[in-house]
């Protein structure tokens, strides 16, 4: 299969149906296919060759949807950029992937001088916003108007579809290589589950479109010829307004977004009854928030998805019936396209109820990490993705996550690698040593917490450390809270014992993660 397949079918069968809705703009499949063919033609005219990476740095929009289809149409490779990263992190991902062509919208145009300075090989910038085109950039609409449409390359199958960057354990992002077949397997499994998509879907993009969780919703909607509804970014009122105005049937949110939405004073003023499917992930949802959410979304089934970028991205699903049955602490069961096992250190499956590493197999397992063969070999063994999550499976096949074998925190739907944060904090002149852990947080699932030992005679406070960290890495990775201690607990080999640091925060949970 190939990403553009659903577009061709929808343009053939329902050419005048709405393909995208963004603000006051509605574009049909007939119009959209022509624009995508022209954008692909423009990319080729600009020198984009087979397999070249094309980046997108922008908020959600109908043009983001066109980008996602025009790049493979031009036989090139997607590189959606994490909009929450610092300029240095973004520039690194562009350099690492060899991305020479970048689409940028109004929200990030001011970042261009820094990106050009740190990535001189960025030869072409296409401005895809509605404001004035920045100096040295090309107009998105001008390119479409002046380009000739080209035939779809129908890039697909095991060919590389995109390089999707995720945080790195060493402080550098890693590019996850996903093929068209990888993405199709996950999307088809989502559709086959019966809990996420159906004919006539109107999917709302309130979560960021660069993220694989939202991209899963995008591809499922493409497959079914549904309508993509976009708002630039999550806002409770904007989300509810879009749902009510456009008859949205499904969306992807993280638990903190759901809580902000259902607890907003204006929630009772909006009709949300069109929504039939709400998918969330990154952390469990509390029973109290779920109860309020089910009342607000009276016609919706809630599903929790567990996965990772390397799995394109979904592996397991907790169904609406499971929510009602009280399995909220579970991450669900394997999806139709996925196989899940719990294994020991030797890769041997352990008995039910025994904690081991969660490994996943299937056609959705990534091709590998971009230019990182050793990391790929460590993560994918005999076709099984080793997730780095510790958990167990019960007699009915439900997965329960109890720990992370890799040093990672999931806060508000974003992965934060402790080492990266520790490296940034350690650069502060008053810090002698530090350790970063995840602690439970009612709003974010987990929050980034730093335990710091100061240099003799020095002092620090949380705000000082937070601002120092934000000057080096993305703001969402900065610690929200800190403890200052005299010494960190260490093993006989000198390794910091983070489990001891976490114990005081997690002792009542029977687990080490949310």
């Amino acid at each position: 299969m190939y990403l553009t397949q659903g577009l061709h079918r929808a343009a053939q069968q329902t050419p005048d149906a709405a393909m995208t809705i963004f603000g006051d703009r509605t574009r049909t499949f007939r119009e959209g296919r022509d624009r995508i063919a022209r954008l692909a033609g423009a990319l080729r005219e600009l020198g984009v060759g087979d397999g070249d990476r094309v980046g997108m740095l922008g908020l959600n929009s109908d043009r983001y949807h066109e980008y996602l289809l025009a790049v493979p149409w031009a036989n090139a490779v997607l590189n959606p950029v994490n909009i929450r990263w610092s300029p240095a992190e973004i520039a690194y991902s562009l350099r690492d992937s060899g991305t020479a062509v970048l689409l940028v919208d109004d929200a990030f145009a001011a970042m261009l001088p820094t990106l050009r300075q740190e990535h001189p090989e960025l030869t072409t910038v296409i401005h895809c916003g509605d404001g004035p085109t920045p100096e040295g950039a090309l107009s998105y609409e001008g390119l479409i108007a002046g380009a000739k449409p080209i035939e779809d390359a129908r890039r697909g199958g095991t060919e590389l579809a995109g390089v999707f960057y995720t945080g790195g354990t060493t402080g550098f992002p890693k590019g996850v290589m996903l093929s068209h077949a990888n993405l199709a397997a996950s999307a088809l499994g989502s559709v086959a589950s019966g809990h996420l998509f159906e004919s006539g879907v109107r999917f709302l993009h309130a979560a960021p479109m660069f993220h694989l969780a939202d991209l899963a919703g995008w591809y499922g909607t493409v497959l079914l010829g549904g309508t993509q509804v976009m708002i630039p970014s999550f806002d409770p009122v904007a989300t509810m307004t879009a749902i009510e105005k456009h008859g949205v049937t499904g969306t992807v949110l993280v638990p903190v977004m759901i809580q902000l939405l259902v607890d907003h004073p204006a929630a009772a003023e909006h009709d949300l009854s069109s929504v039939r499917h709400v998918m969330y992930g990154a952390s469990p949802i509390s029973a109290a928030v779920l109860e309020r959410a089910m009342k607000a979304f009276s016609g919706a089934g809630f599903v929790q998805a567990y996965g990772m970028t390397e799995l394109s991205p979904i592996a397991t699903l907790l169904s609406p019936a499971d929510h009602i049955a009280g399995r909220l602490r579970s991450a669900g069961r394997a999806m139709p396209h996925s196989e899940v096992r719990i294994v020991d250190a030797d890769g041997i499956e352990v008995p039910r109820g025994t904690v081991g590493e969660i490994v996943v197999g299937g056609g959705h397992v990534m091709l590998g990490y971009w230019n990182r063969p050793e990391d790929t070999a460590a993560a994918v063994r005999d076709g099984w993705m080793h997730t780095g999550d510790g958990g167990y499976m019960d007699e009915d096949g439900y997965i329960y996550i109890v720990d992370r074998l890799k040093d990672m925190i999931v806060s508000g739907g974003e992965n934060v690698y402790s080492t990266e944060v520790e490296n940034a904090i350690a650069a502060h002149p008053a810090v002698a040593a530090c350790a970063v852990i995840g602690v439970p947080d009612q709003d974010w699932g987990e929050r980034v917490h730093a335990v710091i030992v100061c240099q003799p005679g020095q002092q620090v406070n949380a705000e000082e450390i937070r601002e120092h960290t934000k000057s080096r890495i993305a703001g969402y990775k900065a610690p929200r809270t800190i403890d200052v201690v005299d010494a960190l607990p260490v093993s006989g080999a000198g390794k910091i014992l983070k489990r001891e640091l976490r114990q005081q925060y997690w002792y009542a949970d029977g687990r080490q993660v949310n």
Side-chain angles (χ1 to χ4, degrees):
M1 294 186 68
Y2 42 97
L3 291 182
T4 57
Q5 197 165 346
L7 171 63
H8 289 293
R9 188 171 58 255
Q12 180 186 74
Q13 297 175 5
T14 55
D16 297 318
M19 179 184 75
T20 58
I21 299 174
F22 178 68
D24 296 329
R25 282 200 302 260
T26 298
R27 292 198 168 109
T28 66
F29 286 101
R30 188 197 311 275
E31 180 185 6
R33 183 172 64 172
D34 180 67
R35 286 174 57 85
I36 289 163
R38 291 178 183 277
L39 178 57
L43 292 174
R44 297 297 293 197
E45 290 174 8
L46 289 170
V48 172
D50 297 351
D52 286 353
R53 278 70 62 203
V54 179
M56 165 63 93
L57 176 59
L59 301 177
N60 300 348
S61 72
D62 48 358
R63 291 172 182 144
Y64 212 123
H65 169 80
E66 292 171 350
Y67 154 81
L68 291 171
L69 293 170
V71 170
W73 190 298
N75 204 24
V77 173
L78 298 163
N79 179 17
V81 177
N82 189 327
I83 60 175
R84 301 186 69 185
W85 278 354
S86 67
E89 291 168 307
I90 292 172
Y92 173 84
S93 71
L94 298 177
R95 286 196 309 271
D96 184 61
S97 60
T99 297
V101 177
L102 179 68
L103 281 69
V104 179
D105 71 2
D106 297 325
F108 300 96
M111 200 181 287
L112 283 175
T114 302
L115 294 180
R116 285 187 170 118
Q117 181 178 352
E118 297 199 19
H119 179 39
E121 290 75 26
L122 182 59
T123 58
T124 304
V125 173
I126 300 171
H127 175 244
C128 57
D130 291 314
T133 299
E135 183 179 354
L138 303 171
S139 164
Y140 181 97
E141 292 298 331
L143 287 174
I144 289 178
K148 294 181 179 179
I150 62 172
E151 287 296 317
D152 188 356
R154 286 179 168 79
R155 184 180 182 87
T158 58
E159 291 181 295
L160 183 61
V163 182
F164 303 89
Y165 277 83
T166 185
T169 54
T170 60
F172 295 100
K174 291 187 292 189
V176 176
M177 297 188 294
L178 299 180
S179 69
H180 288 257
N182 289 154
L183 293 168
S186 189
L188 288 170
S190 299
V191 172
S193 74
H195 299 306
L196 296 174
F197 303 99
E198 57 196 3
S199 179
V201 59
R202 287 192 157 216
F203 188 87
L204 174 64
H205 299 277
M209 291 179 70
F210 76 84
H211 203 286
L212 257 292
D214 190 79
L215 196 66
W218 171 82
Y219 195 12
T221 305
V222 169
L223 281 177
L224 294 178
T227 300
Q228 314 273 359
V229 182
M230 295 90 167
I231 58 175
S233 58
F234 175 78
D235 171 83
V237 174
T239 299
M240 291 185 287
T241 299
I243 290 171
E244 184 174 30
K245 182 177 180 180
H246 303 300
V248 167
T249 63
T251 191
V252 170
L253 302 169
V254 296
V256 67
M257 293 178 180
I258 296 173
Q259 183 171 349
L260 289 170
L261 193 153
V262 301
D263 289 345
H264 195 279
E269 302 170 11
H270 294 272
D271 180 5
L272 308 180
S273 60
S274 64
V275 179
R276 296 193 284 275
H277 308 286
V278 177
M279 183 174 79
Y280 68 94
S283 64
I285 194 168
S286 72
V289 172
L290 179 63
E291 183 178 351
R292 299 198 298 275
M294 292 176 72
K295 183 177 179 180
F297 293 96
S298 57
F302 284 76
V303 295
Q304 180 193 160
Y306 163 73
M308 56 199 307
T309 301
E310 290 89 336
L311 295 172
S312 310
I314 304 176
T316 70
L317 197 73
L318 192 71
S319 73
D322 294 328
H323 281 70
I324 296 172
R327 292 186 180 268
L328 291 183
R329 300 304 289 180
S330 172
R333 297 193 282 191
M335 292 276 281
H337 65 284
S338 181
E339 187 176 358
V340 180
R341 299 165 61 201
I342 310 295
V343 302
D344 61 18
D346 296 320
I348 299 171
E349 190 166 5
V350 300
R352 300 292 176 95
T354 303
V355 174
E357 183 175 10
I358 301 169
V359 299
V360 181
H364 56 318
V365 174
M366 68 171 179
L367 297 176
Y369 294 113
W370 180 266
N371 287 336
R372 290 177 180 241
E374 292 182 0
D375 288 338
T376 300
V380 183
R381 303 173 222 163
D382 298 322
W384 292 85
M385 178 68 204
H386 287 246
T387 66
D389 288 330
Y392 66 90
M393 182 185 294
D394 70 14
E395 294 298 331
D396 297 316
Y398 287 89
I399 300 294
Y400 292 81
I401 301 171
V402 299
D403 202 354
R404 291 199 180 90
L405 307 181
K406 56 191 177 185
D407 205 4
M408 186 181 77
I409 303 159
V410 179
S411 182
E414 295 286 356
N415 294 348
V416 179
Y417 286 90
S418 300
T419 304
E420 184 180 12
V421 186
E422 289 162 353
N423 289 341
I425 294 174
H428 191 289
V431 174
C434 68
V436 170
I437 60 174
V439 300
D441 187 277
Q442 183 176 353
D443 294 328
W444 300 96
E446 297 173 19
R447 71 176 180 274
V448 181
H449 179 79
V451 184
I452 295 172
V453 177
C454 289
Q455 296 282 5
Q458 298 291 315
Q459 292 182 332
V460 294
N461 58 51
E463 187 59 30
E464 178 184 355
I465 290 296
R466 183 169 172 80
E467 290 305 311
H468 164 81
T469 307
K470 286 167 64 177
S471 70
R472 286 162 171 77
I473 57 178
Y476 69 88
K477 302 175 184 178
R480 295 179 180 274
T481 50
I482 71 168
D483 284 332
V484 178
V485 298
D486 293 331
L488 296 170
V490 296
S491 68
K495 182 177 180 180
I496 296 173
L497 299 174
K498 290 190 175 182
R499 183 174 289 272
E500 290 190 13
L501 295 176
R502 290 195 293 260
Q503 184 62 34
Q504 63 178 305
Y505 296 97
W506 294 95
Y507 70 93
D509 288 61
R511 50 196 267 150
Q512 294 283 317
V513 295
N514 261 330

